Amino acid sequence: MANFFYALYNRIQRQRTVFGIVLILIFGILIWVASTIKFDEDISKLIPSNLENQQLQKVLKTAQFADKIIVHIEKEKSGITDDLTDYATQFLDSLSTHSKSFVKDIQGKIEDETIFETMDFVYNNVPLLLKAADYKNISKKLHPDSIAKITENNYKTLISPSGIVSKKTLIKDPLGISLMALKHLQQLGISDDFTLKEGFLVSKDGLHVLLFITPTHPSNYTTENAQFSEQLYQFQESLNKVFKDKAQSSYFGGTLIAVANAQQIKNDIQITVTIAMVLLMTLFIVFYKKLTIPIILFVPTLFGGLLAISVLSVVRSEISAISLGIGAVLLGVTLDYSLHILTHIRNKETAKELFDSVSKPILMSSLTTALAFLCLLFVDSPALQDLGVFAAISVMGASVFALVFIPQVYKGTSTKDTKRSIVDKIASYDFHKNKIFIGSIAVLLIISAFSYQRVTFNQDISNLNFQPEAIKSAEAKLDTLINISSKSLYVITFGTNEQKVLETNDEIFNQLQNLEKENQIISYNSVGALVGSDKKQQASIKVWDHFWTADLKTQIQSQLIETGSQFGFKPSTFKEFYTLLDHDFQPLSIDDYRKINVIPISDFIAKEDNFMTISSVVNVENNHIEKIKNRFMNFNNTLVIDRQAINETLLGHLKNDFNKLLVYCVIVVVLLLLVFYQNIKLTLVTVIPIIITWFVTIGIMGLFHLEFNIFNIIISSFIFGLGVDYSIFMTNGMLSGKSSMTTHKTSIILSVLTTILGVGVLIFAKHPALHSLATISIIGILAAMFISFVVQPILYRQLISKKSPKINSPAKGAD
């Protein structure tokens, strides 16, 4: 292999112009092909999907988990309730004027015409909403004395200065039957603690107004929602000044948290990457004594990344954006190859010596690392499968390109520099002869034996969210008002037959009513209070028809006319009510129910293609969760979803997949090393430090109570890849002799510095997820270097030097 690259090097030397043109063309084609790729921004693709949870994933994708933004307007010391409604009115005006495209729906403000439409709908379909208890109440109103009293009260209301709504209702419904039905709509989310004032949802104590905004874009569309978020905070700042000491507002919602996370990650990365790039540029320029060295160093990495994206764009219609984001971090592995080549050239090796020294270890390392990344194909996660392919192609592409490109453009310094840098001095030091270092590793191994079991996998992804203080404060205030932090379960029924799904939801609604009576749940919101199956609606109509017999209708009509005449009512005054009693009611479709603007039917019922879900939200105490799940266990096509528990379960599958992945990686590495070295002892010399590194890394994590999470467990494959690289280069360095090993150690130290400056600098990030990435990276990379420098030469001396003079001869200085 060294001869091939040396021959290619000489050929390119004779045709450098052609090489330059071909290089430009290749990069141009790769950039063009890569630009055609489509990205899938769905972060849920990171969660494993298999036959066991496929149905669950489908339900989660179809069901409507509306990420609403709650606007909480509260009265200040010198304010009155009218200030709250004035604030809310001006806020809605601002939304309508400046942010209309970002708002899908607003709840909490009900216009007069909407109230009339809702009451008319309830009135015109009243049998569908009445319960058995309502008929008992109606029966009590039908006695002659009761009719007389009701008519007298209606007369007093009509001649009083009361609202037009109540007067209109009394004429159409003198017995108040539709008002009984209207109360049942509270089970769709209208709390008893709130009332309507000037069309707004105001707390009964008059201190709070709530508005609920459904954004146009889902919460993961952070770019679009960032604009909306900025506008909302501008409205808040402006209105808080206008209503100073009278009313103030705060916001809470998943959309705002997602935007805050995205912005914090962006800010953290911008700051840390700027710092890292300045330090890395300075380090490389000073060490290699050439201004163009950063460009030379990163071109192979760029080539590898472009090649991987281009290949993926050809074989897949779209790839996961999150996989590329993580893959960009993993590309740090590819810098190793450039660093090794540059360091050997810097040490004045000839082209022939260079390729003899680095060709085999670089290709061994890249192939081993690439196959380890391809083990991600065994994980049931589309995003991680994309990541595996992306990283494998990048690593192989960058390694081969580095061997071709760097010797052509970097020739080292022309002057002989006898002064060694601090990195050279550290690299030439025999770490394996220092008893303190040996003892330190022994102590770490002993500690790790006791502490590694303490390392846990944090399956609660919410712990990795960044929440600004303003959002935390808003959440605390809302919790005291509407118990927002109580546990919410989603009872979801699903299927392809609409009526079957509706019938199951009827059963769910009945069960929820029973649970509330038994005090097993705090509250619930269910569309079953309004929307029923045809079967349920027909049964309700049958009860209505059975109750209102012809004799009873005649009797009520005559009593209303008789008692009404005493107060000047005409016989036709309640004509609409008599017509209602004679009406031939029919079941309604879901689309009929959607006409009620005040009720957010789409928050409960969702349909995609031929697949339908109906969701009910249940607020429950933690100690009752299992009881609720058991109640619905035997319901057809029904899931009780605890969103946090579901994430924890699915991420738990990811953890198990990674445990298997680690075993696969070790097997792949061992087999490849056996193929390359054809010597089991050399393979052991290379593999044992990798295993020790992993064991010590986990042990240190356990010692300091650090946890794995969905992000840093993926980065652990990055650490594994670098550990493999360091071990392979150390083994090949020891086989080649003392001077070669020192050169390899120099490039390893530079790789460690590069990684710590590139990824480890995220230790200063405020975002929890980024901070956790840096912590694990620093521990793993330092452990990999330290163990390679101390343990590997000792193993080599014990297994190779003392027992095999043939292999020992070229490596006299290795020990």
Side-chain angles (χ1 to χ4, degrees):
M1 193 57 72
N3 291 333
F4 169 79
F5 282 103
Y6 181 59
L8 183 61
Y9 168 81
N10 288 326
R11 187 167 185 177
I12 293 172
Q13 282 287 302
R14 294 190 296 269
Q15 299 177 333
R16 291 177 66 83
T17 304
V18 175
F19 175 69
I21 294 170
V22 170
L23 207 60
I24 293 169
L25 285 174
I26 289 173
F27 268 94
I29 292 170
L30 288 177
I31 291 170
W32 175 70
V33 175
S35 65
T36 62
I37 200 164
K38 293 180 180 178
F39 295 108
D40 183 357
E41 296 183 351
D42 186 2
I43 196 171
S44 66
K45 293 290 178 69
L46 201 58
I47 295 174
S49 175
N50 51 44
L51 291 175
E52 293 178 12
N53 60 43
Q54 204 170 44
Q55 191 175 64
L56 172 61
Q57 295 271 33
K58 188 175 183 180
V59 171
L60 290 174
K61 185 178 179 182
T62 306
Q64 296 293 323
F65 298 115
D67 285 316
K68 297 184 186 298
I69 296 173
I70 304 175
V71 182
H72 178 200
I73 305 168
E74 54 186 332
K75 192 166 70 172
E76 293 291 291
K77 54 187 176 182
S78 62
I80 57 175
T81 305
D82 285 343
D83 291 323
L84 297 180
T85 55
D86 288 344
Y87 189 117
T89 301
Q90 291 189 36
F91 175 80
L92 292 178
D93 288 343
S94 298
L95 270 185
S96 178
T97 305
H98 303 288
S99 308
K100 198 170 185 179
S101 61
F102 296 110
V103 178
K104 182 180 179 181
D105 184 41
I106 299 174
Q107 292 166 249
K109 168 61 175 170
I110 304 174
E111 303 295 340
D112 289 343
E113 61 267 23
T114 304
I115 295 174
F116 287 127
E117 288 172 4
T118 304
M119 295 189 71
D120 285 344
F121 179 89
V122 171
Y123 178 81
N124 293 326
N125 300 281
V126 69
L128 305 179
L129 299 171
L130 293 175
K131 313 297 178 188
D134 296 323
Y135 285 101
K136 291 179 181 178
N137 290 330
I138 295 171
S139 296
K140 293 176 183 177
K141 293 184 175 186
L142 300 183
H143 297 291
D145 291 344
S146 297
I147 293 286
K149 187 65 177 175
I150 288 170
T151 306
E152 182 182 354
N153 289 336
N154 289 344
Y155 172 74
K156 291 178 180 178
T157 300
L158 289 171
I159 63 173
S160 69
S162 59
I164 188 172
V165 175
S166 57
K167 291 181 178 179
K168 185 178 179 182
T169 303
L170 287 177
I171 298 298
K172 294 171 63 176
D173 184 13
L175 301 183
I177 296 173
S178 61
L179 295 178
M180 297 179 192
L182 196 63
K183 287 181 180 179
H184 298 309
L185 298 187
Q186 288 180 340
Q187 289 153 338
L188 284 160
I190 303 172
S191 171
D192 287 333
D193 296 328
F194 286 81
T195 185
L196 284 176
K197 179 177 173 61
E198 297 181 27
F200 289 102
L201 206 57
V202 181
S203 61
K204 285 186 175 178
D205 59 13
L207 300 178
H208 308 272
V209 165
L210 292 181
L211 297 171
F212 301 87
I213 303 171
T214 303
T216 303
H217 303 286
S219 59
N220 60 322
Y221 281 63
T222 52
T223 303
E224 294 81 358
N225 288 328
Q227 301 175 45
F228 184 36
S229 174
E230 185 180 354
Q231 290 177 1
L232 285 176
Y233 286 114
Q234 286 175 354
F235 302 155
Q236 183 187 62
E237 184 180 1
S238 174
L239 289 171
N240 281 355
K241 287 179 181 177
V242 173
F243 290 87
K244 187 178 180 181
D245 297 330
K246 295 180 179 179
Q248 299 287 286
S249 69
S250 58
Y251 305 137
F252 179 78
T255 298
L256 297 179
I257 293 173
V259 169
N261 272 268
Q263 290 176 338
Q264 188 61 49
I265 289 173
K266 184 178 178 181
N267 292 338
D268 283 344
I269 289 177
Q270 283 177 343
I271 294 169
T272 54
V273 166
T274 301
I275 295 170
M277 290 304 293
V278 170
L279 293 175
L280 283 172
M281 297 293 183
T282 304
L283 171 67
F284 293 141
I285 291 169
V286 169
F287 186 79
Y288 292 108
K289 295 181 170 50
K290 197 164 186 177
L291 288 173
T292 57
I293 204 67
I295 298 172
I296 295 171
L297 184 68
F298 286 104
V299 166
T301 296
L302 178 63
F303 174 83
L306 285 173
L307 178 65
I309 296 174
S310 299
V311 171
L312 283 170
S313 69
V314 172
V315 299
R316 300 208 178 186
S317 58
E318 60 180 20
I319 67 169
S320 169
I322 190 78
S323 70
L324 281 194
I326 298 169
V329 177
L330 301 185
L331 283 179
V333 174
T334 62
L335 288 176
D336 264 11
Y337 312 131
S338 300
L339 288 170
H340 283 294
I341 297 169
L342 287 166
T343 305
H344 278 267
I345 295 173
R346 171 183 173 271
N347 289 348
K348 306 296 186 296
E349 290 186 7
T350 64
K352 184 73 170 66
E353 291 172 335
L354 170 70
F355 290 114
D356 285 339
S357 299
V358 301
S359 296
K360 184 178 178 180
I362 283 179
L363 292 176
M364 280 179 64
S365 175
S366 61
L367 183 59
T368 307
T369 305
L371 287 175
F373 278 131
L374 284 177
C375 288
L376 284 168
L377 293 174
F378 293 105
V379 179
D380 294 317
S381 165
L384 293 182
Q385 290 171 354
D386 285 349
L387 170 62
V389 175
F390 173 78
I393 296 173
S394 299
V395 165
M396 286 303 302
S399 64
V400 174
F401 188 82
L403 285 167
V404 174
F405 174 75
I406 291 179
Q408 298 293 334
V409 296
Y410 179 66
K411 302 300 179 184
T413 56
S414 56
T415 59
K416 184 154 181 154
D417 187 5
T418 56
K419 187 177 180 182
R420 296 193 306 165
S421 69
I422 188 170
V423 175
D424 293 315
K425 292 177 182 177
I426 295 171
S428 63
Y429 182 76
D430 291 325
F431 287 81
H432 60 287
K433 293 181 179 179
N434 188 308
K435 292 181 180 180
I436 295 175
F437 290 155
I438 297 171
S440 298
I441 290 181
V443 170
L444 283 174
L445 282 170
I446 294 169
I447 292 173
S448 298
F450 294 98
S451 63
Y452 82 97
Q453 291 181 325
R454 296 181 194 168
V455 178
T456 58
F457 184 82
N458 188 344
Q459 297 168 339
D460 186 0
I461 201 168
S462 64
N463 288 340
L464 299 174
N465 274 334
F466 171 81
Q467 278 189 245
E469 288 303 319
I471 293 181
K472 286 182 182 178
S473 174
E475 182 181 19
K477 291 176 181 177
L478 281 170
D479 190 37
T480 60
L481 185 63
I482 57 174
N483 199 19
I484 194 173
S485 66
S486 64
K487 194 72 171 180
S488 292
L489 298 179
Y490 294 83
V491 183
I492 303 177
T493 181
F494 57 90
T496 54
N497 185 310
E498 180 178 296
Q499 286 306 313
K500 290 289 185 185
V501 176
L502 285 166
E503 285 173 17
T504 304
N505 194 63
D506 293 340
E507 296 175 28
I508 290 171
F509 178 67
N510 292 335
Q511 190 67 259
L512 289 174
Q513 288 179 304
N514 294 333
L515 286 167
E516 189 174 46
K517 290 176 184 176
E518 296 167 13
N519 293 320
Q520 295 290 320
I521 60 178
I522 299 170
S523 62
Y524 69 92
N525 296 334
S526 173
V527 77
L530 177 65
V531 182
S533 63
D534 285 351
K535 185 177 178 181
K536 179 183 177 181
Q537 292 183 69
Q538 286 166 350
S540 297
I541 294 168
K542 189 174 181 180
V543 171
W544 172 272
D545 291 339
H546 181 75
F547 181 84
W548 292 106
T549 62
D551 290 342
L552 182 59
K553 286 188 280 188
T554 302
Q555 175 190 330
I556 293 302
Q557 184 173 349
S558 61
Q559 287 178 356
L560 284 172
I561 292 173
E562 181 183 342
T563 56
S565 63
Q566 298 173 21
F567 297 98
F569 290 126
K570 297 178 182 177
S572 60
T573 298
F574 303 115
K575 183 179 178 181
E576 283 188 72
F577 179 65
Y578 309 144
T579 303
L580 176 73
L581 298 181
D582 290 328
H583 185 70
D584 181 21
F585 292 98
Q586 297 296 325
L588 300 176
S589 69
I590 291 176
D591 288 335
D592 291 327
Y593 286 109
R594 291 187 193 277
K595 294 173 184 176
I596 317 176
N597 293 327
V598 74
I599 307 296
I601 300 296
S602 297
D603 284 359
F604 299 92
I605 301 176
K607 200 168 186 179
E608 187 172 303
D609 298 328
N610 199 33
F611 189 75
M612 177 180 178
T613 63
I614 303 179
S615 309
S616 300
V617 185
V618 185
N619 294 319
V620 61
E621 298 288 352
N622 283 326
N623 58 332
H624 288 155
I625 290 175
E626 288 306 315
K627 292 179 183 177
I628 305 305
K629 289 181 178 179
N630 292 335
R631 281 290 188 98
F632 296 100
M633 187 182 294
N634 297 320
F635 280 58
N636 291 329
N637 291 342
T638 299
L639 293 172
V640 179
I641 294 179
D642 175 349
R643 290 178 75 180
Q644 180 178 325
I646 289 295
N647 281 335
E648 290 177 0
T649 302
L650 295 176
L651 293 179
H653 293 323
L654 182 62
K655 178 194 70 173
N656 296 333
D657 284 345
F658 262 93
N659 289 336
K660 290 187 292 183
L661 176 66
L662 186 59
V663 175
Y664 297 153
C665 287
V666 171
I667 293 171
V668 166
V669 169
V670 170
L671 291 176
L672 277 174
L673 291 176
L674 280 171
V675 169
F676 278 117
Y677 288 129
Q678 296 181 3
N679 186 306
I680 192 167
K681 292 179 181 178
L682 281 175
T683 301
L684 289 173
V685 167
T686 310
V687 169
I688 289 174
I690 298 170
I691 296 172
I692 293 175
T693 296
W694 189 248
F695 183 65
V696 168
T697 299
I698 295 177
I700 294 172
M701 288 177 63
L703 182 64
F704 292 101
H705 303 286
L706 300 174
E707 297 177 322
F708 275 122
N709 56 55
I710 188 173
F711 297 106
N712 63 29
I713 200 171
I714 297 169
I715 294 300
S716 65
S717 59
F718 169 55
I719 298 167
F720 184 85
L722 284 176
V724 171
D725 285 357
Y726 297 167
S727 292
I728 289 174
F729 277 100
M730 280 296 292
T731 300
N732 283 275
M734 289 184 289
L735 284 171
S736 301
K738 173 76 173 178
S739 60
S740 179
M741 189 176 76
T742 301
T743 303
H744 283 304
K745 285 169 72 177
T746 301
S747 56
I748 288 172
I749 293 170
L750 288 172
S751 171
V752 170
L753 290 172
T754 302
T755 305
I756 289 176
L757 290 175
V759 181
V761 75
L762 291 173
I763 196 77
F764 301 109
K766 293 181 180 179
H767 196 283
L770 294 180
H771 189 84
S772 71
L773 293 183
T775 307
I776 304 303
S777 297
I778 291 172
I779 293 171
I781 297 306
L782 289 176
M785 180 189 73
F786 192 51
I787 290 166
S788 293
F789 286 1
V790 177
V791 174
Q792 212 160 340
I794 295 173
L795 289 171
Y796 184 85
R797 183 178 59 194
Q798 295 298 320
L799 296 176
I800 308 295
S801 297
K802 288 185 177 180
K803 309 231 176 143
S804 179
K806 185 175 180 182
I807 300 180
N808 183 43
S809 57
K812 289 179 183 176
D815 56 331

